[in-house]
Amino acid sequence: MEREKLIAIIEALIFASDRPLKVKYIDQVLSIIDTGDVRVEDLIGELRARYSTDSTGIELAEVADGWQLRTKPQLADWVKRLNIVKPSRLSTPALETLSIVAYRQPITHAEIDYVRGVDSGGVIKTLLDRRLIKIVGKKELPGRPLVYGTTQEFLELFGLKDIAALPSLQDIKQISAAEEELEKAQPELPLPTHETSDEE
Amino acid sequence: MEREKLIAIIEALIFASDRPLKVKYIDQVLSIIDTGDVRVEDLIGELRARYSTDSTGIELAEVADGWQLRTKPQLADWVKRLNIVKPSRLSTPALETLSIVAYRQPITHAEIDYVRGVDSGGVIKTLLDRRLIKIVGKKELPGRPLVYGTTQEFLELFGLKDIAALPSLQDIKQISAAEEELEKAQPELPLPTHETSDEE
Amino acid sequence: MTVMEEDYKVRLDVFEGPLDLLLFLIKRNELDIYDIPISFITEQYLAYIGMMQVLNVELASEFLVIAATLLEIKARMLIPTPSEQEEEAEDPRLELTNRLLEYQRFKNAALQLNDSAMLYRDTFIRGMHEDSGNEDLSLNIDADPYDLLVAFKSLMDRARGEKIAYMAVERISVAQRINDIMERIGIVKSMAFDALLPREYTRMDIVVTVLAILELLRLRMLRCEQKEPFGTIWLFMQE
């Protein structure tokens, strides 16, 4: 196999690997073909040189006894800016809390804690800051606790016309109803008797 | 800033992003500097060309309305030998259902069942859980059934730029012509004889 | 006929549903999908279903629905049409033909989809995770209502699970369970194991039920069968 092709394979391997890739693993992968007297280390050297020019944003680094592609340190500020600009997913606690507020509003802090089984103070604060939930009043209970509900921003973010447009638990039951019915139905079925059924 | 430097930044951004990166986010990141009349699309084009040679194992692909670095499909067997990723497979029912949703979205559960001729509840659930389809709303029909559409993840899985990039639906024969024939034949309503119709 | 049966048996698990079976029958007999000989295809279809029943293969109810549709079309085609006035009478086969064509179209589309460069099968993205800053940095959020629903449902399930576990203490004993099982199985003579469990069962219910069954098996009051690994466990009344 040509040298260029081998370099391409090594590049793909290092790129796809979830941790720094050791040379011995590259050797293993390539062991099914005859690479002649080409040394993997030399090929990596060539690949590394290719990434060392100023016009590339990635570099091939030797880390933890393996090889890894990563963005060049001098571009770090740009990459950080990306994290600010790009949308991210909500964390699980945030998503859980938001779903409780959405489906059970108006709801108090204590009730959210009860459902989640953990204190949700921090998450509630984050969601308030992000304007996804808001204080909608106080409950007629000792201490008059605040109650929360979702905001217009919440609806816009999730692309919902109104709160009634949220998919309901009933909806999800419909989806999996087929499976459940199948499971339920099975036990009741007449036994596959061994001696019967020669009718067609 | 020089062109080469800008390309390097864009490469770093695309590399650092865990999902296909939209041009608008690149624009936003670069908005703090004066890029003159350079268009990000053109820079991406240059970067893409750089990755298109045989000596690289990676390619720059336009996926889900964004840009992503991926290993070249022709090197898949080599990468699989690393055993680092769970291979993704979809069952035939899943693929069928997915293509129906992709081409006919927004579509209800009942409509999918009608096309496939079997209940698709279990498959729909699986596809929802794998985030390949999503609930896009409710239909103004009795019972307000949910309607489904495909997701970003669907586009990413199949390497599609957008839904319009799907190949057009095709028959074995040309249907339009055949349907006309069927319609022509109708008024006479010939009884179905087995030896008829050897047209074309 | 025997050759055909062999053929079907091999293909048993291949059919995705009745439409898939019909398409197979049409292709196999080299029929014209635009002019389906309905009595012939109905015969073939029913023969297949009959065979499934002989082989004790559990058929989805949709197979029977399509069987009924075929018979209905067949009947309608046998009714002589007063040819003059029924100018715009529809071919009774039209809807079925359209469904078959539509289904075939999507079968093709599915194959095409499967042929594309699939992520994690034909192509791979960067495996290593860059140190992307914490997510709170981001000002906007990628949101999907289904995420909310799933989050809420799992919370509710979790809550329900706790309640059941709490009540488990006062559930019935092994002795009670034995009486219960014998009473129920005495009527129907045989039952699937899971049918013996309450509708909402806890781990404790399973344990109690298994202990009760083991006891009944030991006493030779029940017989137990399982056709395949992980298949349904059937219990028979020992006469």
Side-chain angles (χ1 to χ4, degrees), chain C residues 61-153:
Chain C
S61 59
E62 290 94 346
F63 279 91
L64 302 177
V65 173
I66 292 291
T69 308
L70 286 170
L71 288 169
E72 193 208 328
I73 296 173
K74 191 176 156 190
R76 277 168 62 196
M77 297 200 65
L78 288 173
I79 301 168
T81 17
S83 43
E84 289 91 42
Q85 72 260 45
E86 291 276 340
E87 199 56 9
E88 79 283 10
E90 213 182 49
D91 187 329
R93 299 169 297 176
L94 188 62
E95 197 200 340
L96 184 65
T97 305
N98 284 340
R99 276 186 80 175
L100 286 171
L101 285 171
E102 179 88 339
Y103 179 60
Q104 184 176 264
R105 233 167 269 158
F106 284 114
K107 271 180 78 78
N108 290 345
L111 287 177
Q112 269 183 305
L113 215 47
N114 198 33
D115 281 345
S116 53
M118 239 169 110
L119 192 58
Y120 303 121
R121 188 190 65 185
D122 308 311
T123 182
F124 303 84
I125 52 174
R126 176 174 57 82
M128 178 255 314
H129 278 274
E130 278 271 309
D131 275 334
S132 55
N134 72 59
E135 62 176 22
D136 286 340
L137 268 178
S138 179
L139 299 176
N140 40 25
I141 300 161
D142 212 359
D144 178 348
Y146 184 65
D147 293 340
L148 285 178
L149 179 61
V150 170
F152 188 62
K153 182 171 185 295

Side-chain angles (χ1 to χ4, degrees), chain C residues 8-220:
Chain C
Y8 285 143
K9 265 183 228 167
V10 174
R11 294 199 41 123
L12 262 190
D13 46 348
V14 181
F15 298 119
E16 300 300 338
L19 297 180
D20 202 21
L21 169 59
L22 275 178
L23 280 178
F24 166 74
L25 292 174
I26 288 168
K27 213 169 289 172
R28 169 175 203 291
N29 294 293
E30 293 175 0
L31 304 175
D32 181 359
I33 193 168
Y34 299 101
D35 187 15
I36 303 169
I38 209 78
S39 12
F40 177 71
I41 205 82
T42 305
E43 199 178 292
Q44 296 257 310
Y45 186 88
L46 292 179
Y48 170 82
I49 292 204
M51 194 150 44
M52 293 302 94
Q53 279 163 350
V54 171
L55 294 173
N56 281 321
V57 174
E58 200 191 322
L59 276 177
S61 59
E62 290 94 346
F63 279 91
L64 302 177
V65 173
I66 292 291
T69 308
L70 286 170
L71 288 169
E72 193 208 328
I73 296 173
K74 191 176 156 190
R76 277 168 62 196
M77 297 200 65
L78 288 173
I79 301 168
T81 17
S83 43
E84 289 91 42
Q85 72 260 45
E86 291 276 340
E87 199 56 9
E88 79 283 10
E90 213 182 49
D91 187 329
R93 299 169 297 176
L94 188 62
E95 197 200 340
L96 184 65
T97 305
N98 284 340
R99 276 186 80 175
L100 286 171
L101 285 171
E102 179 88 339
Y103 179 60
Q104 184 176 264
R105 233 167 269 158
F106 284 114
K107 271 180 78 78
N108 290 345
L111 287 177
Q112 269 183 305
L113 215 47
N114 198 33
D115 281 345
S116 53
M118 239 169 110
L119 192 58
Y120 303 121
R121 188 190 65 185
D122 308 311
T123 182
F124 303 84
I125 52 174
R126 176 174 57 82
M128 178 255 314
H129 278 274
E130 278 271 309
D131 275 334
S132 55
N134 72 59
E135 62 176 22
D136 286 340
L137 268 178
S138 179
L139 299 176
N140 40 25
I141 300 161
D142 212 359
D144 178 348
Y146 184 65
D147 293 340
L148 285 178
L149 179 61
V150 170
F152 188 62
K153 182 171 185 295
S154 66
L155 280 171
M156 290 298 114
D157 289 348
R158 212 156 67 194
R160 203 178 51 185
E162 277 161 15
K163 210 163 59 199
I164 289 173
Y166 172 72
M167 290 167 53
V169 191
E170 42 188 65
R171 294 237 166 170
I172 61 174
S173 68
V174 176
Q176 273 174 304
R177 188 95 270 214
I178 286 178
N179 290 335
D180 178 39
I181 291 172
M182 287 315 289
E183 194 178 311
R184 291 178 65 190
I185 218 163
I187 302 167
V188 290
K189 305 297 175 211
S190 57
M191 276 183 102
F193 169 67
D194 8 47
L196 289 169
L197 293 168
R199 190 157 288 260
E200 276 183 356
Y201 54 83
T202 60
R203 201 169 293 176
M204 187 51 80
D205 285 318
I206 300 178
V207 171
V208 169
T209 306
V210 169
L211 287 177
I213 290 171
L214 288 177
E215 183 64 13
L216 287 167
L217 291 174
R218 196 182 64 81
L219 297 169
R220 294 183 191 283

Side-chain angles (χ1 to χ4, degrees), chain B residues 17-193:
Chain B
S17 173
D18 51 355
R19 306 286 297 275
L21 187 60
K22 290 187 189 352
V23 171
K24 69 171 178 188
Y25 297 126
I26 301 177
D27 278 334
Q28 281 180 35
V29 169
L30 295 177
S31 66
I32 48 164
I33 51 161
D34 179 21
T35 52
D37 45 6
V38 180
R39 287 180 62 238
V40 166
E41 284 86 349
D42 294 337
L43 299 173
I44 291 176
E46 281 180 47
L47 189 58
R48 187 177 206 180
R50 208 190 274 174
Y51 277 111
S52 66
T53 68
D54 273 351
S55 60
T56 66
I58 312 172
E59 64 182 18
L60 185 55
E62 190 169 18
V63 183
D65 199 28
W67 294 90
Q68 189 171 48
L69 289 166
R70 296 181 161 206
T71 61
K72 292 199 168 139
Q74 57 267 36
L75 300 179
D77 288 340
W78 295 102
V79 180
K80 272 184 219 153
R81 282 177 57 80
L82 270 183
N83 283 329
I84 38 167
V85 271
K86 61 285 173 187
S88 64
R89 283 234 169 280
L90 284 171
S91 67
T92 312
L95 276 168
E96 277 184 17
T97 308
L98 204 48
S99 49
I100 294 168
V101 176
Y103 284 93
R104 291 279 186 265
Q105 56 190 310
I107 188 169
T108 66
H109 184 160
E111 288 163 344
I112 298 170
D113 286 356
Y114 181 76
V115 175
R116 292 192 60 225
V118 286
D119 181 80
S120 307
V123 191
I124 291 176
K125 176 93 174 27
T126 310
L127 294 175
L128 278 171
D129 288 342
R130 284 184 76 167
R131 299 181 153 279
L132 295 174
I133 63 172
K134 65 180 176 194
I135 297 163
V136 292
K138 292 184 178 189
K139 199 158 183 175
E140 293 304 334
L141 278 179
R144 305 204 68 210
L146 299 175
V147 286
Y148 302 96
T150 50
T151 59
Q152 292 284 304
E153 283 86 347
F154 165 79
L155 296 173
E156 286 173 36
L157 184 64
F158 293 100
L160 296 164
K161 177 172 179 268
D162 48 37
I163 251 335
L166 278 172
S168 59
L169 275 185
Q170 304 226 321
D171 293 326
I172 309 282
K173 287 196 224 165
Q174 278 303 336
I175 12 137
S176 49
E179 254 166 3
E180 264 169 45
E181 247 166 61
L182 205 75
E183 275 158 33
K184 257 190 289 157
Q186 261 170 43
E188 281 102 44
L189 243 190
L191 275 186
T193 41

Side-chain angles (χ1 to χ4, degrees), chain A residues 48-89:
Chain A
R48 185 176 205 181
R50 208 190 275 172
Y51 276 111
S52 66
T53 70
D54 273 351
S55 61
T56 65
I58 312 173
E59 65 178 18
L60 184 56
E62 190 167 18
V63 218
D65 202 21
W67 292 92
Q68 189 171 54
L69 287 165
R70 50 187 201 189
T71 56
K72 289 196 170 139
Q74 58 267 39
L75 299 178
D77 286 342
W78 296 102
V79 176
K80 270 184 212 140
R81 264 186 68 75
L82 181 65
N83 287 328
I84 298 171
V85 155
K86 243 187 61 163
S88 63
R89 288 203 179 282

